[in-house]
Amino acid sequence: MATLAFNREEISPRPLKPALLELDGISRESVEAHYKLYEGYVNKRNEIMGKLDELDVGSANQVYSEVRALKVDLTFAIGGIKNHEIYFDHLGGGGGDPDGVIRDLIFRDFGSLENWRMDLKATGMAGRGWAWTAYDWDEGRLFNYIGDTQNTYPIWNATPLIALDVYEHAYFLDFQTDRASYIEAFFGNLDWDVVNDWAQQYGLG
């Protein structure tokens, strides 16, 4: 029997940084509840990979099959993992204006920090789940992309540097339906050193 989960290994959630429990305007209660959702994505990824390991490739069908259902849901689980790892990793800082590589890229591609903030906030207000500032390797520039779910509208060959979660679970405990105020709090807690480290690792500096 041929399987669909070659070299399968389970993964574990990344630990929650202590700084995330002391954010300005985003409560510990909200962060802890949010982190549990991320843990759930990791667990489902592992579960789906285990089920794929037991399937026969001969059962695949595009109308309906376990192969199709599991492969589709795997993209949702993995998207949830990757999105949240970026989100949690680059929070816990002092916000404000960035310096370094990311500042230069934002000025080059948006004209000003204020233009970038307004555009990302508008993208977040328009999205149903996510907004990302990503570097498009084909165009050689930053752009703010919209997402409605964990796996909606991926842009191939673009690397996210900032991930703004606008699902209600990210802010409802603290802001109820006031998403705009949550986005401002998100900006105020960004750790620009982390974003700059990523940009330098990707060779953007």
Side-chain angles (χ1 to χ4, degrees):
M1 180 177 71
T3 67
L4 297 167
F6 305 105
N7 298 322
R8 177 179 67 87
E9 292 185 6
E10 290 196 350
I11 62 173
S12 300
R14 293 182 184 177
L16 191 62
K17 295 190 305 183
L20 296 181
L21 302 177
E22 299 178 358
L23 299 179
D24 185 12
I26 301 175
S27 68
R28 178 182 186 133
E29 180 184 18
S30 183
V31 170
E32 288 177 336
H34 199 167
Y35 182 76
K36 288 179 182 177
L37 292 174
Y38 159 65
E39 290 179 308
Y41 287 122
V42 173
N43 292 336
K44 281 299 177 183
R45 177 265 183 202
N46 291 336
E47 179 183 340
I48 292 169
M49 291 294 283
K51 290 183 177 180
L52 286 171
D53 197 33
E54 300 170 356
L55 289 183
D56 190 326
V57 293
S59 67
N61 183 279
Q62 82 278 11
V63 177
Y64 171 77
S65 62
E66 286 187 275
V67 173
R68 175 178 171 78
L70 290 169
K71 286 277 189 171
V72 169
D73 290 341
L74 182 64
T75 69
F76 192 89
I78 291 177
I81 293 168
K82 293 179 183 290
N83 290 331
H84 283 96
E85 287 181 347
I86 297 171
Y87 178 83
F88 288 131
D89 282 354
H90 70 8
L91 289 180
D97 292 341
D99 56 11
V101 176
I102 192 63
R103 180 186 184 279
D104 295 342
L105 290 170
I106 287 172
F107 266 89
R108 186 194 70 184
D109 296 333
F110 291 92
S112 70
L113 294 171
E114 186 59 28
N115 286 345
W116 166 76
R117 284 193 186 93
M118 287 192 300
D119 189 75
L120 184 59
K121 184 173 184 178
T123 307
M125 293 299 293
R128 295 172 182 168
W130 289 89
W132 303 276
T133 299
Y135 186 83
D136 187 311
W137 294 95
D138 297 310
E139 295 194 12
R141 57 157 293 168
L142 296 176
F143 192 80
N144 290 329
Y145 295 102
I146 197 169
D148 282 349
T149 62
Q150 305 296 351
N151 55 350
T152 316
Y153 316 133
I155 303 299
W156 300 117
N157 209 28
T159 301
L161 293 168
I162 295 167
L164 169 58
D165 189 344
V166 292
Y167 273 113
E168 284 80 1
H169 65 243
Y171 61 86
F172 194 83
L173 287 177
D174 298 323
F175 298 95
Q176 284 76 53
T177 59
D178 187 2
R179 182 186 290 188
S181 292
Y182 156 72
I183 293 174
E184 291 299 329
F186 171 86
F187 287 142
N189 286 284
L190 278 172
D191 188 335
W192 288 113
D193 289 339
V194 170
V195 179
N196 269 318
D197 284 346
W198 291 337
Q200 290 170 355
Q201 289 172 21
Y202 298 141
L204 299 179

